[in-house]
Amino acid sequence: RTAAFVAFQRQWMVVYLLTMLADWLQGTHMYTLYSSYNQPVGLLFGIGFTSSAVFCTFLGLIVDRYGRRNGCILFCVLELIINSLEHWDSFWPLAIGRVLGGMSTSLLFTSFESWMVSEHRKRGFKEDWIAETFAFAQMGNGFMAVLAGIISQVSSDYLGDIGPFQVAIALTALALVLVCFWPENYGGGTGTQG
């Protein structure tokens, strides 16, 4: 492996794992938080899943057209809004958060990976190294899931049920700053807009 490839791999992996950790943190206490607010948990979850099912059908195409880095930035901005909305003990802000959550889930599973693959190819790295990056990412994602459980418990012990969402805000803000340093790439063959 070249030093340039390792640096690129780390650059992407840090952001990817931060976003996955922030995402896992939310899932661990969402049910508990909504229950503590005495809100209809099943309905709120249904809104989020429905939103994801709708937005996943076309958000990838939009990200390819308007930029994958922009899609990553949009994901981070949406997550900051969503986790802020979780602070309100009111149905409508939570419902809006679940609609936005469906959008952000679609972006999480399209923008980051497609940016990495396109940028990998644009930089001329060996094609079989993509599999290595994905293997590390999936192994790291499993570790983030375990770590999220620990962080969620500790943060909720100190900050209440909203604690994991506050930690997710901090992690997402850090990821947003890091993504802003990425070059943009687009769909359509070459990875750049022509």
Side-chain angles (χ1 to χ4, degrees), residues 1-191:
R1 310 291 177 251
T2 65
F5 171 72
V6 171
F8 163 74
Q9 192 179 50
R10 285 185 186 148
Q11 175 193 32
W12 178 76
M13 194 76 64
V14 166
V15 172
Y16 178 77
L17 294 178
L18 279 173
T19 59
M20 295 308 292
L21 177 58
D23 189 61
W24 281 114
L25 282 167
Q26 298 166 57
T28 61
H29 276 72
M30 194 173 290
Y31 180 90
T32 305
L33 181 68
Y34 293 167
S35 293
S36 74
Y37 289 165
N38 202 24
Q39 295 294 329
V41 177
L43 178 58
L44 289 167
F45 275 34
I47 290 169
F49 293 138
T50 302
S51 173
S52 185
V54 169
F55 286 107
C56 78
T57 61
F58 61 86
L59 269 179
L61 298 171
I62 291 173
V63 165
D64 280 349
R65 180 172 183 161
Y66 294 102
R68 294 169 177 143
R69 183 189 73 141
N70 286 336
C72 296
I73 290 171
L74 179 58
F75 165 82
C76 292
V77 169
L78 287 174
E79 285 296 307
L80 292 171
I81 293 168
I82 293 160
N83 286 303
S84 297
L85 290 172
E86 299 293 347
H87 287 74
W88 282 319
D89 177 4
S90 178
F91 176 77
W92 289 109
L94 296 174
I96 291 167
R98 291 300 80 226
V99 170
L100 297 177
M103 293 173 65
S104 71
T105 297
S106 297
L107 290 167
L108 176 61
F109 293 105
T110 56
S111 300
F112 290 92
E113 293 177 2
S114 61
W115 180 89
M116 184 275 294
V117 170
S118 182
E119 195 64 24
H120 177 104
R121 291 176 174 154
K122 186 169 119 182
R123 294 181 187 202
F125 298 131
K126 291 184 179 181
E127 195 70 16
D128 59 334
W129 292 352
I130 292 174
E132 175 186 301
T133 301
F134 277 125
F136 285 143
Q138 293 314 306
M139 189 171 49
N141 188 24
F143 180 71
M144 293 300 107
V146 173
L147 184 60
I150 296 166
I151 293 171
S152 291
Q153 188 59 56
V154 171
S155 64
S156 66
D157 288 347
Y158 286 97
L159 302 170
D161 291 331
I162 198 67
F165 300 90
Q166 292 172 332
V167 175
I169 288 171
L171 293 172
T172 303
L174 176 58
L176 175 59
V177 169
L178 295 173
V179 166
C180 288
F181 290 98
W182 289 1
E184 185 60 271
N185 64 49
Y186 301 86
T190 64

